[in-house]
Amino acid sequence: MDSGSSRNLENTVNRDCPDQLVPKINTNKKMSTLASQPRILETSQEVKKSCGDKQVEITVERIKMTKSIKEKHSNDLEKVAFKRKAENEEKPAGKKEAKITELDSTLITMPLPHIPLKNIMDVEAKLVYVDEEAVSYEFVESFVSTGIRPSCQAAEIVDPLHVPNFSFLPQIDKWLQLALKDASSCYRQKKYAVAAGQFRTALELFSKGAALGKPFEASAEDIASVASFIETKLVTCYLRMRKPDLALNHAHRSIVLNPAYFRNHLRQATVFRCLERYSEAARSAMIADYMFWLCGGSEQCISKLIKLYWQAMIEEAITRAESFSVMYTPFATKIRADKIEKVREVFTKTHPAYVEYIYTDLQGVHMLPQTVDWSSFPPQQYLLTLGFKNKEDGKFLEKLSSRKLPTFTEHKTPFGLLTKEDTVRHMETMGKRILPILDFIRSTQLNGSFHGCLGVMEKLQYASLLSRLQRVKEQSQVINQAMAELATIPYLQDISQEETELLQSLMADAMDTLEGRRNDKERVWNTIQKVGRIEDFLYQLEDNFLKTKKLRTARRQKTKLKRLQTVQQS
C-alpha cells in the first residue's frame, strides 16, 4: 500500500492525539497498491415483542430521514466541487494534462504497511471500551446545523468523548435506570460477569415494558435506542471477559436497533477481530468511519483512529488469505478495456503464483483508509484485482457480477430437492470458499449495487443451509449479521422504491425466521436462489442447443463435401 500515505496518516494521528500510534512499515508480498506517484437475531423473544415487530416501519422512517442528511451533505459537496472547478478554470491547461499523464504513467508497486497489535488495542481502549460515565445514552438528539432531526439522533456527534447536555432527553423508566446504574457500577469495578448478568436483567425489564417513563408517548426510535444501549454494554462485558462468541449476536442486534451510531459498528469490528474474521472487521470499521462523518462527527482525531483500525484489519485479512492475492489500482476516470488488460499484465508479473484466475471488480468502486476523505467529491477511488491459485475458487465471481440479483447457484437440477450430502457440500462451499471472498471484496467497498446486495443475500442463503442441518446457533448468528447489514444499507446509498420494498421483505422474512414463524410463502432469498437456478438451467439448455446445432451444421457440411467429392471423382 502507499507508504507515503500511510506515514501521512500516522503523522496526523500523532499530531491530533500525541499519545497515539506510530506504525512500522513492513513489506508484504501478498498485496500491492498501484500508483503513478505515492500520493495517494437469535434475538430474545420478549425484546422483539417490544420493538422488533416495528422494525420494518422504523426502516422506512430511517430511509426518509437519511435522505435529508444526505441531501445536506450533497449540497455541501456540490459547493466544494463548484469551488474546485472555479479554481481549476483559473489554472493553466497544462496542469490538467499533467494529472492525466500522471495517471497514465508507469505503475509502481508499493509495500503494505504493518500496524502493530498494540496500536490496535490502543484504538479499542479509546473508542470501544469507553468509560460508562463519559458516554450518554444513545438517543441523544443530533445537533445538525440545518435543524434536521435525522434518524442518527442516537449518535454522539458533538464532541463524542465528552458529556453532552441531558436536559432534553426522554425520561428513562426508574427501575430500568436503577438496573443500568448497578450494572455500570459493576463494570467500572471490573466485575464483568456480574455486570453482564445485570445488563441481561435490564434487558428483561425492558422486554416487559420498562423502557421509558411514558412508553405510550415514546417514539419507536427512542425505544430502539434504549435497547441498543443495553445490547452494546453486553458486547463490551463479553469482550472484557474474552468471550467474543457471546458478544457477536449482541453486536449485530445493537446495529439493527441503532444503525447510525458509529460505536456500534466499531464494537462489531472488535468482536470480528477477536474471532479472527478480519475482512468483516475491516468493513465494520469502514462503516463506523463513514457513520461518524455522516452524523456530523467533528473530531478528526477519532476519524483517524477509526481509519487506522480499518487499515490494520485489511492488512491482516490480506496477510492471512491463502487462496488469493490482491492489487488496488487508483483511477480518476472511467476505466477502459485496454487499461484493465494493462492492470492484469502488471498483476501477473507482480503475483505469478496467483494467475490461475484473475478477476477485476467493475461492480463498484473501492476506497482505502489511507486516502479516503468522505467530505471530498469524489474521494480517491481504486480498481480491485484479485488473483487465485485455483481457478475454481474465483470463477463464481463472474457469474455473480453478471446478474441483476446475484446469488450463488451450483445445484444442477433446479426443481429437485437437495440431499443431506448435497446440503453439507453446499454449506462448506459457501462458508469456506464463497463468503470469505465476498467479505474481503466488501471490506473496501462502501456501497455497491443494492440490487446485488453482495454478500448479504449469500449469507441468508447460507443460513437456510444451516437450518436444514439444524445448526441453530450458527444460523441465528448469520441472520442477525445479515439483518445488521440490511439495516445499514439506507445510510450507505440511495435506494429506489422497488429496492425499499425488497429491503422490507428481506428484513421481515429474516425477523420471522429468527422468531420461528412459518408461513405458506417461501423466504425471499430462497425464491431468488430458485430463480437463479432456473436462469442457470435455461442458459445451460441454450448452450447445449447451440453446441448441438454447431455440431449438426459441421456434420452436414462434412457430408455435403463428401458427396461433392464423390460426384467429381465419378
Side-chain angles (χ1 to χ4, degrees):
M1 229 180 259
D2 191 333
S3 58
S5 299
S6 177
R7 282 193 292 272
N8 291 338
L9 178 61
E10 295 151 24
N11 292 336
T12 307
V13 171
N14 289 330
R15 186 167 58 250
D16 293 341
C17 306
D19 56 335
Q20 284 299 319
L21 327 164
V22 185
K24 301 175 183 177
I25 301 298
N26 181 34
T27 302
N28 186 305
K29 58 186 177 183
K30 287 277 293 176
M31 179 270 199
S32 60
T33 301
L34 293 182
S36 50
Q37 294 290 335
R39 178 195 74 90
I40 339 214
L41 291 168
E42 178 194 344
T43 308
S44 76
Q45 303 297 320
E46 295 83 2
V47 172
K48 285 187 181 164
K49 288 176 185 176
S50 299
C51 63
D53 293 334
K54 298 182 180 179
Q55 189 61 49
V56 174
E57 289 80 357
I58 291 174
T59 301
V60 176
E61 291 301 316
R62 284 172 177 165
I63 291 170
K64 292 177 181 177
M65 292 196 174
T66 306
K67 285 182 179 179
S68 299
I69 307 169
K70 288 183 176 179
E71 284 174 6
K72 176 184 179 297
H73 282 294
S74 178
N75 292 336
D76 293 341
L77 293 178
E78 285 177 5
K79 291 177 183 177
V80 173
F82 181 79
K83 182 179 178 182
R84 289 180 181 173
K85 183 179 179 181
E87 290 174 351
N88 290 336
E89 286 175 353
E90 293 174 2
K91 295 178 182 178
K95 296 279 184 179
K96 189 173 181 180
E97 293 176 0
K99 183 178 180 182
I100 295 173
T101 306
E102 178 185 336
L103 289 170
D104 291 341
S105 63
T106 305
L107 300 171
I108 303 171
T109 303
M110 305 303 298
L112 181 69
H114 174 70
I115 299 173
L117 178 62
K118 180 183 180 300
N119 294 346
I120 298 171
M121 302 300 286
D122 287 343
V123 176
E124 291 178 356
K126 286 185 175 291
L127 299 182
V128 175
Y129 304 108
V130 183
D131 185 0
E132 302 293 300
E133 292 180 333
V135 175
S136 67
Y137 290 116
E138 297 181 14
F139 48 78
V140 178
E141 296 281 353
S142 56
F143 297 88
V144 181
S145 60
T146 58
I148 296 170
R149 290 183 47 166
S151 58
C152 58
Q153 58 187 354
E156 297 168 21
I157 62 166
V158 177
D159 207 4
L161 295 183
H162 296 84
V163 181
N165 178 15
F166 295 104
S167 59
F168 54 84
L169 292 181
Q171 181 63 47
I172 292 284
D173 179 87
K174 62 178 181 179
W175 296 111
L176 178 61
Q177 194 168 26
L178 183 62
L180 290 174
K181 184 179 179 181
D182 291 342
S184 297
S185 177
C186 291
Y187 181 88
R188 286 193 293 275
Q189 294 170 27
K190 298 185 179 180
K191 298 177 182 179
Y192 302 122
V194 178
Q198 291 182 333
F199 279 123
R200 286 196 299 270
T201 301
L203 204 57
E204 289 176 11
L205 283 172
F206 174 84
S207 69
K208 294 175 182 177
L212 300 176
K214 297 180 179 179
F216 297 106
E217 297 178 11
S219 69
E221 283 286 344
D222 285 343
I223 293 173
S225 294
V226 175
S228 175
F229 177 84
I230 302 172
E231 296 282 6
T232 59
K233 300 314 160 192
L234 282 166
V235 173
T236 53
C237 285
Y238 287 129
L239 285 174
R240 289 293 195 185
M241 295 162 64
R242 298 185 179 180
K243 294 182 178 180
D245 55 321
L246 296 180
L248 188 58
N249 270 345
H250 294 291
H252 298 329
R253 289 198 289 263
S254 70
I255 293 173
V256 173
L257 292 162
N258 193 357
Y261 187 45
F262 80 96
R263 290 187 200 277
N264 287 352
H265 297 279
L266 201 56
R267 289 179 185 120
Q268 184 190 52
T270 303
V271 174
F272 281 139
R273 183 193 69 78
C274 294
L275 293 170
E276 298 185 350
R277 293 163 60 172
Y278 297 105
S279 295
E280 292 159 286
R283 176 165 178 80
S284 296
M286 173 182 64
I287 294 174
D289 188 48
Y290 179 76
M291 288 297 187
F292 181 74
W293 169 78
L294 183 67
C295 292
S298 58
E299 290 195 3
Q300 287 299 311
C301 174
I302 294 177
S303 181
K304 297 300 181 184
L305 293 178
I306 299 173
K307 285 184 174 66
L308 192 71
Y309 198 89
W310 173 18
Q311 180 181 334
M313 294 303 102
I314 294 173
E315 174 199 332
E316 199 65 36
I318 293 168
T319 302
R320 295 189 178 229
E322 296 179 356
S323 63
F324 63 88
S325 191
V326 189
M327 187 171 74
Y328 292 96
T329 308
F331 68 93
T333 57
K334 188 176 180 180
I335 301 295
R336 302 192 306 270
D338 60 324
K339 288 295 178 184
I340 294 174
E341 286 303 317
K342 186 177 181 181
V343 166
R344 291 186 177 185
E345 288 175 11
V346 174
F347 183 92
T348 302
K349 293 177 182 178
T350 312
H351 307 274
Y354 299 88
V355 294
E356 284 300 311
Y357 186 86
I358 299 176
Y359 172 76
T360 302
D361 183 22
L362 301 175
Q363 298 304 302
V365 298
H366 293 259
M367 289 162 284
L368 296 178
Q370 293 93 322
T371 58
V372 71
D373 179 4
W374 306 115
S375 62
S376 69
F377 185 79
Q380 176 61 61
Q381 301 173 345
Y382 293 83
L383 186 70
L384 171 65
T385 304
L386 293 172
F388 296 87
K389 285 184 177 180
N390 185 351
K391 186 176 181 179
E392 295 299 317
D393 289 339
K395 70 177 186 179
F396 77 93
L397 288 169
E398 294 289 351
K399 183 185 290 186
L400 287 181
S401 62
S402 64
R403 286 180 170 164
K404 184 178 180 181
L405 287 171
T407 177
F408 173 72
T409 55
E410 201 179 54
H411 197 30
K412 301 302 180 185
T413 54
F415 305 106
L417 295 175
L418 285 171
T419 64
K420 186 175 180 179
E421 291 75 16
D422 286 337
T423 303
V424 172
R425 180 172 55 83
H426 276 259
M427 184 203 67
E428 290 180 350
T429 301
M430 288 285 287
K432 295 180 180 179
R433 186 161 63 89
I434 307 298
L435 291 177
I437 295 172
L438 295 181
D439 286 333
F440 179 80
I441 291 174
R442 297 169 73 238
S443 68
T444 53
Q445 187 182 67
L446 185 71
N447 49 10
S449 166
F450 173 78
H451 269 306
C453 243
L454 187 65
V456 181
M457 207 75 74
E458 285 76 13
K459 279 186 171 63
L460 291 168
Q461 291 160 0
Y462 180 58
S464 293
L465 295 174
L466 292 171
S467 177
R468 285 174 175 268
L469 298 173
Q470 297 182 340
R471 296 169 66 166
V472 180
K473 182 180 178 181
E474 294 172 76
Q475 179 200 13
S476 168
Q477 290 178 342
V478 173
I479 292 180
N480 273 307
Q481 183 182 358
M483 286 187 66
E485 290 276 0
L486 291 170
T488 308
I489 284 175
Y491 296 87
L492 306 183
Q493 62 193 91
D494 296 327
I495 56 179
S496 65
Q497 181 61 36
E498 180 186 357
E499 292 166 342
T500 301
E501 291 172 2
L502 175 59
L503 177 62
Q504 288 178 290
S505 299
L506 289 169
M507 288 288 285
D509 276 4
M511 186 74 73
D512 287 347
T513 302
L514 285 175
E515 294 181 344
R517 296 177 187 168
R518 297 183 179 276
N519 52 41
D520 297 333
K521 293 183 179 180
E522 193 168 25
R523 301 305 187 204
V524 175
W525 51 87
N526 289 331
T527 302
I528 291 171
Q529 189 175 47
K530 278 190 175 180
V531 172
R533 287 174 181 169
I534 294 170
E535 187 180 15
D536 278 354
F537 183 68
L538 293 175
Y539 279 132
Q540 188 177 0
L541 287 177
E542 183 183 25
D543 288 342
N544 291 339
F545 173 78
L546 293 174
K547 287 178 182 177
T548 304
K549 183 179 179 180
K550 189 176 180 180
L551 287 172
R552 286 176 180 173
T553 303
R555 287 173 187 167
R556 287 174 183 171
Q557 289 178 347
K558 190 175 181 182
T559 303
K560 188 176 181 180
L561 184 62
K562 283 184 178 180
R563 287 177 181 174
L564 286 173
Q565 289 175 349
T566 303
V567 170
Q568 289 175 354
Q569 288 175 358
S570 61

